[in-house]
Amino acid sequence: MHTIVQRFEESIAGRAYLFEVSAVDPERFRASIVKAPGVPTALMPFYGTTADAAVCQLREWLTRAHSRVQASAPRS
């Protein structure tokens, strides 16, 4: 069985991210962040019924995480 991997480049909070998405089932896709193509990080993957849905969940989570970090950063 061949697995097709899609890659998405995103810029979130001024940082570049590369997401990899692959089908794990005909109606289930897994998205994760990669440091280098083919090397996933330890962050848990996000799942969706389409590749776009899985990436959207990952993008939204990263956006919320960056917002929380910026909100808690000391102001000078």
Side-chain angles (χ1 to χ4, degrees):
M1 180 175 149
H2 296 286
T3 302
I4 296 173
V5 176
Q6 298 177 53
R7 292 193 174 92
F8 295 80
E9 290 184 37
E10 298 281 340
S11 177
I12 299 171
R15 294 184 64 185
Y17 288 95
L18 179 62
F19 300 152
E20 244 180 28
V21 183
S22 58
V24 293
D25 194 66
E27 295 183 20
R28 188 168 163 99
F29 291 79
R30 176 179 50 228
S32 59
I33 299 171
V34 291
K35 291 183 179 179
V39 183
T41 65
L43 179 69
M44 69 178 197
F46 287 76
Y47 294 89
T49 55
T50 65
D52 288 334
V55 167
C56 184
Q57 288 185 42
L58 181 51
R59 182 187 312 114
E60 289 173 356
W61 182 86
L62 276 171
T63 300
R64 285 192 308 270
H66 279 288
S67 295
R68 289 180 180 162
V69 168
Q70 289 173 350
S72 66
R75 304 201 194 283
S76 45

